Coordinates of all heavy atoms in Angstrom, one line a residue:
P117 N -144.6 42.4 -58.2 CA -145.5 43.1 -57.4 C -145.1 43.1 -55.9 O -144.5 42.0 -55.5 CB -146.9 42.4 -57.6 CG -146.5 41.0 -57.9 CD -145.2 41.1 -58.7
D118 N -145.4 44.1 -55.2 CA -145.2 44.1 -53.7 C -146.4 43.4 -53.1 O -146.3 42.8 -52.0 CB -145.0 45.5 -53.2 CG -143.8 46.2 -53.8 OD1 -142.7 45.7 -53.7 OD2 -144.0 47.3 -54.4
V119 N -147.6 43.6 -53.7 CA -148.8 43.1 -53.1 C -149.6 42.4 -54.3 O -149.7 43.0 -55.3 CB -149.7 44.2 -52.5 CG1 -151.0 43.7 -52.0 CG2 -149.0 44.9 -51.4
V120 N -150.1 41.2 -54.0 CA -151.0 40.6 -54.9 C -152.3 40.3 -54.2 O -152.4 39.8 -53.1 CB -150.4 39.2 -55.4 CG1 -151.4 38.6 -56.4 CG2 -149.0 39.3 -56.0
L121 N -153.4 40.7 -54.9 CA -154.7 40.6 -54.3 C -155.5 39.7 -55.3 O -155.7 40.0 -56.5 CB -155.4 41.9 -54.2 CG -154.9 42.8 -53.1 CD1 -155.4 44.3 -53.3 CD2 -155.4 42.3 -51.7
Y122 N -156.1 38.6 -54.8 CA -157.0 37.7 -55.6 C -158.4 38.0 -55.1 O -158.7 37.9 -53.9 CB -156.6 36.3 -55.4 CG -155.2 35.9 -55.8 CD1 -154.2 35.8 -54.9 CD2 -154.9 35.7 -57.1 CE1 -152.9 35.5 -55.2 CE2 -153.6 35.4 -57.5 CZ -152.6 35.3 -56.6 OH -151.3 35.0 -56.9
D123 N -159.3 38.3 -56.0 CA -160.7 38.6 -55.8 C -161.5 37.3 -56.2 O -161.6 37.1 -57.4 CB -161.1 39.8 -56.5 CG -162.6 40.1 -56.4 OD1 -163.3 39.5 -55.6 OD2 -163.1 41.0 -57.2
V124 N -162.0 36.6 -55.2 CA -162.4 35.2 -55.5 C -163.9 35.0 -55.0 O -164.2 35.3 -53.9 CB -161.6 34.1 -54.8 CG1 -161.9 32.8 -55.4 CG2 -160.1 34.5 -54.9
L125 N -164.7 34.5 -55.9 CA -166.1 34.1 -55.6 C -166.1 33.0 -54.6 O -165.4 32.0 -54.8 CB -166.8 33.7 -56.9 CG -168.3 33.3 -56.8 CD1 -169.1 34.5 -56.4 CD2 -168.8 32.7 -58.1
G126 N -166.8 33.1 -53.5 CA -166.8 32.2 -52.4 C -168.0 31.4 -52.2 O -168.2 30.8 -51.2
D127 N -169.0 31.4 -53.1 CA -170.2 30.7 -52.9 C -169.9 29.2 -52.9 O -170.5 28.4 -52.1 CB -171.2 31.0 -54.0 CG -171.7 32.4 -53.9 OD1 -171.0 33.3 -54.4 OD2 -172.8 32.6 -53.4
V128 N -169.0 28.8 -53.7 CA -168.6 27.4 -53.8 C -167.0 27.3 -53.7 O -166.4 27.9 -54.7 CB -169.1 26.7 -55.1 CG1 -168.6 25.2 -55.1 CG2 -170.6 26.7 -55.2
V129 N -166.5 26.8 -52.7 CA -165.0 26.8 -52.6 C -164.5 25.4 -53.0 O -164.2 24.5 -52.2 CB -164.5 27.1 -51.1 CG1 -163.0 27.3 -51.1 CG2 -165.3 28.3 -50.6
C130 N -164.3 25.2 -54.3 CA -163.9 24.0 -54.8 C -163.1 24.2 -56.1 O -163.1 25.3 -56.7 CB -165.0 23.0 -55.1 SG -166.1 23.6 -56.4
G131 N -162.3 23.3 -56.5 CA -161.6 23.4 -57.8 C -160.8 24.6 -58.0 O -160.1 25.0 -57.1
G132 N -161.0 25.3 -59.1 CA -160.2 26.5 -59.4 C -160.5 27.6 -58.4 O -159.6 28.4 -58.1
F133 N -161.7 27.7 -57.8 CA -162.0 28.7 -56.9 C -161.2 28.6 -55.6 O -161.0 29.6 -54.9 CB -163.5 28.7 -56.6 CG -164.4 29.1 -57.7 CD1 -165.1 28.1 -58.4 CD2 -164.5 30.4 -58.1 CE1 -165.9 28.5 -59.5 CE2 -165.3 30.8 -59.2 CZ -166.0 29.8 -59.9
A134 N -160.7 27.4 -55.3 CA -159.8 27.2 -54.2 C -158.3 27.4 -54.5 O -157.5 27.3 -53.6 CB -160.1 25.9 -53.5
M135 N -158.0 27.6 -55.7 CA -156.6 27.7 -56.1 C -155.7 28.7 -55.3 O -154.6 28.4 -54.9 CB -156.4 28.0 -57.6 CG -156.5 26.7 -58.5 SD -155.9 26.9 -60.1 CE -154.1 26.9 -59.8
P136 N -156.2 29.9 -55.0 CA -155.4 30.8 -54.2 C -155.1 30.3 -52.8 O -154.1 30.6 -52.3 CB -156.3 32.1 -54.1 CG -157.2 32.0 -55.3 CD -157.5 30.6 -55.5
I137 N -156.0 29.4 -52.3 CA -155.8 28.8 -51.0 C -154.8 27.6 -51.1 O -153.8 27.5 -50.4 CB -157.1 28.4 -50.4 CG1 -158.1 29.5 -50.3 CG2 -156.9 27.7 -49.0 CD1 -159.5 29.1 -49.8
R138 N -155.1 26.7 -52.0 CA -154.5 25.4 -52.0 C -153.2 25.3 -52.8 O -152.4 24.4 -52.6 CB -155.5 24.3 -52.5 CG -155.9 24.4 -54.0 CD -156.9 23.3 -54.3 NE -157.4 23.5 -55.7 CZ -156.9 22.9 -56.7 NH1 -155.8 22.2 -56.6 NH2 -157.4 23.1 -57.9
E139 N -153.0 26.3 -53.7 CA -151.7 26.2 -54.5 C -150.7 27.1 -54.0 O -149.6 27.3 -54.6 CB -152.1 26.5 -56.0 CG -153.0 25.5 -56.6 CD -152.4 24.1 -56.8 OE1 -151.2 24.0 -56.7 OE2 -153.2 23.1 -56.9
G140 N -150.9 27.8 -52.9 CA -149.8 28.6 -52.3 C -149.7 30.0 -53.0 O -148.8 30.7 -52.7
Y141 N -150.7 30.4 -53.7 CA -150.7 31.7 -54.3 C -150.9 32.8 -53.3 O -150.3 33.9 -53.4 CB -151.8 31.8 -55.4 CG -151.4 31.1 -56.7 CD1 -152.0 29.8 -56.9 CD2 -150.6 31.6 -57.6 CE1 -151.7 29.1 -58.1 CE2 -150.2 30.9 -58.8 CZ -150.8 29.7 -59.0 OH -150.5 29.0 -60.2
A142 N -151.8 32.5 -52.3 CA -152.0 33.5 -51.3 C -151.5 33.0 -49.9 O -151.5 31.8 -49.7 CB -153.5 33.8 -51.2

Side-chain angles (χ1 to χ4, degrees):
D118 300 304
V119 178
V120 183
L121 288 161
Y122 300 97
D123 175 8
V124 195
L125 182 66
D127 294 79
V128 181
V129 190
C130 64
F133 293 103
M135 277 198 75
I137 303 173
R138 65 183 175 88
E139 296 294 339
Y141 287 100

